[in-house]
Amino acid sequence: MDRGAAVRAALKAGVLGVFIGMIPFLGIVLTGALAVYFYRRENGFALPAALGSRLGGAAGVVAFAINALLITIRIFVFHAQQEYIDAILKVVQRFGANAADPDIQASIHNLFTPSGLAITFFFVMIFTVVLASVGGALATLLSRPRNPRG
């Protein structure tokens, strides 16, 4: 595996993954698949599924890091914390919970403390890396050259 090409592919796919990630779940999987595509386009040979998974996971880390930076800047610099709290309250209401309950509101406000953000970002990062790894593995399996039986 050419590490330089892998880093370039993961960076390109991660940056594009910020935009593709707007499609829930599927966008993250496509980010991992895109990293494998970029790597294969540059080097011309197929990766094993394990390496494709690692490459997809690396692209997921890049996409997560950019998203986390943008969200953190928006929350703290532009003071958009209330917008995020309102969005979470809407999601809670959609799932049928009572958003006016003081316990639920306290839990949501705790998400925006430094420790709450750290825990939330950790779980979102794990989720993102796992989905992007799956995308990378699927892309390597689906892009294998087929050997005709002869």
Side-chain angles (χ1 to χ4, degrees), residues 70-136:
L70 293 175
I71 288 171
T72 303
I73 288 172
R74 184 154 187 229
I75 288 174
F76 290 116
V77 174
F78 297 113
H79 305 290
Q81 180 176 354
Q82 191 60 44
E83 289 178 32
Y84 283 99
I85 290 172
D86 292 341
I88 292 173
L89 285 172
K90 285 179 186 176
V91 170
V92 167
Q93 285 177 338
R94 282 189 201 150
F95 284 109
N98 182 11
D101 183 13
D103 291 335
I104 290 177
Q105 287 188 352
S107 296
I108 291 170
H109 284 282
N110 285 337
L111 287 175
F112 292 95
T113 63
S115 63
L117 282 173
I119 291 169
T120 303
F121 281 173
F122 174 75
F123 284 114
V124 171
M125 182 186 72
I126 297 299
F127 182 73
T128 302
V129 170
V130 167
L131 284 180
S133 294
V134 167

